[in-house]
Amino acid sequence: MWEPVQLAEKLLESPANAGLLAGVNVLITAGPTRERLDPVRYLTNRSSGKMGFAVAAAAREAGAHVTLVSGPVQLQTPAGITRINVESARDMYAAVHRHVAEADVFIAAAAVADFQPVSVASRRSRSRASR
């Protein structure tokens, strides 16, 4: 059985074939990416993903079929949107390239990491400060 919020969202959402973007396929990226340094640590940024999720919700409300590729965030997926979770910039790149050919519109709102390590350590190394 659906939760009351899900039921209300479903009842109140616009039909998929109505609105300015009716029938348009929109692909949106959101949130940060994480670049692993070792099994414990990673490089990232403080992106919340809120802008990409808001754009996705607005596109859906305008009638678009929306696919959202999201880095690790603590946001609920808006009703009627397909979400693909990714972690690294490479993951996001691969997910976007799997779906971009189907998209009429692509919006890159994610805060993709600027750097990737050359190699990922197989175990955590101890820093000098902890010795």
Side-chain angles (χ1 to χ4, degrees):
M1 183 165 184
W2 286 357
E3 293 295 322
V5 172
Q6 285 179 296
L7 182 59
E9 286 175 343
K10 193 67 175 170
L11 290 171
L12 296 174
E13 77 181 29
S14 301
N17 60 353
L20 183 64
L21 296 178
V24 175
N25 292 316
V26 178
L27 177 63
I28 302 171
T29 63
T33 59
R34 291 180 181 164
E35 307 305 322
R36 292 191 173 279
L37 299 173
D38 60 34
V40 177
R41 295 175 286 194
Y42 52 83
L43 296 173
T44 193
N45 59 60
R46 295 179 188 213
S47 173
S48 67
K50 289 179 182 178
M51 181 177 65
F53 276 65
V55 171
R60 177 65 187 98
E61 287 175 18
H65 300 284
V66 179
T67 300
L68 179 64
V69 179
S70 178
V73 296
Q74 300 299 315
L75 298 172
Q76 292 249 329
T77 306
I81 293 175
T82 301
R83 179 173 172 173
I84 300 168
N85 292 318
V86 298
E87 185 171 342
S88 71
R90 284 189 176 127
D91 296 341
M92 187 168 284
Y93 179 88
V96 165
H97 281 269
R98 276 193 305 273
H99 297 278
V100 74
E102 305 153 9
D104 300 305
V105 176
F106 172 60
I107 300 170
V112 180
D114 295 321
F115 302 99
Q116 294 176 330
V118 173
S119 63
V120 178
S122 60
R123 63 188 181 112
R124 181 179 175 211
S125 61
R126 295 184 69 188
S127 69
R128 292 179 190 243
S130 63
R131 291 184 187 164

